[in-house]
Amino acid sequence: MSWDEKLLKQAKKIIKLYPQKRSALGTLLHLAQSKDGYISDDSISVISDLVGITEVQVKSVSTFYSMYKQEPTGKYLLSVCKSISCEINNSSEVINKLQEFTGLNNNETDEDGLFTFEAVECIGACGGAPAMQVNYETVEGLTAENAINLCSWLKEKQPDIVVADDMQKDFGGVKSFDWAIKDNSGATSNAPGFQTLKTTKAKK
Ligand code: FES
């Protein structure tokens, strides 16, 4: 096994939360992704041993869900919604301009490992369409110009934590609705955020 002791300890703690080992599969895949930014063959093998199912079974789950990445992802995963509410509010222009800015086609990562671009299905912010996410932190009410400004800012500042509320304030437009609780956590990596997996963190 090539996961270090700390990660294995965390994995075993997760497994204990479930009545059957194999039920921890999804969370362990998230753990693997938080380690490498994608699901490596090595992680497939480790998880297979940990939960007692075959590598093919682990792989079949990891390739079914699009949030599990099969290749290394850039520091910033740019996910622009292409579904209907966003489409009728000009998401295609946001997509085209961002692809032009980054030089990336769908699901590609740039050579510097800074951006990965993807056009995705609904991200649950239809009332604030068009919307996108940076490392799963959502920004609503975008214009193509503001999307480019957001990416220029990421490129220049390269923040280690991106926070939805901050990006919304600086680059967003009309939101679906105002959240009752301010979101002060932010994404610390390009893996989906779970505080127990340390992929989100309170902002200082
Ligand atoms: S259609 Fe774009 S967020 Fe729902």
Side-chain angles (χ1 to χ4, degrees), residues 81 83-86 122-126 129 131:
C81 177
S83 290
I84 187 68
S85 295
C86 289
C122 182
I123 52 176
C126 317

Side-chain angles (χ1 to χ4, degrees), residues 131-201:
M132 71 178 282
Q133 293 175 322
V134 179
N135 291 351
Y136 300 102
E137 295 283 303
T138 304
V139 188
E140 301 173 62
L142 279 172
T143 60
E145 189 185 353
N146 276 352
I148 298 297
N149 289 341
L150 168 57
C151 291
S152 301
W153 171 76
L154 290 169
K155 194 170 179 175
E156 191 192 337
K157 301 287 182 196
Q158 302 199 14
D160 289 331
I161 303 177
V162 287
V163 183
D165 280 352
D166 295 349
M167 291 188 291
Q168 179 68 37
K169 182 162 62 66
D170 293 338
F171 306 102
V174 177
K175 288 174 71 172
S176 313
F177 56 88
D178 280 325
W179 296 92
I181 301 168
K182 245 184 112 47
D183 178 8
N184 284 326
S185 62
T188 57
S189 78
N190 51 26
F194 290 96
Q195 287 183 340
T196 51
L197 299 186
K198 308 268 191 284
T199 52
T200 67
K201 171 161 125 179

Side-chain angles (χ1 to χ4, degrees), residues 47-108:
I47 293 172
S48 156
D49 285 345
L50 282 169
V51 301
I53 59 178
T54 67
E55 291 185 18
V56 171
Q57 286 172 311
V58 178
K59 186 87 179 169
S60 68
V61 173
S62 83
T63 51
F64 182 81
Y65 296 103
S66 60
M67 286 166 86
Y68 297 129
K69 302 301 181 199
Q70 306 306 309
E71 290 175 3
T73 305
K75 182 175 170 85
Y76 303 113
L77 174 63
L78 309 174
S79 312
V80 186
C81 177
K82 61 175 181 176
S83 290
I84 187 68
S85 295
C86 289
E87 170 63 29
I88 59 179
N89 282 285
N90 224 5
S91 63
S92 51
E93 195 191 349
V94 175
I95 288 171
N96 290 340
K97 292 286 182 196
L98 277 186
Q99 287 193 309
E100 220 173 86
F101 178 84
T102 58
L104 298 172
N105 289 317
N106 201 24
N107 294 319
E108 282 184 352

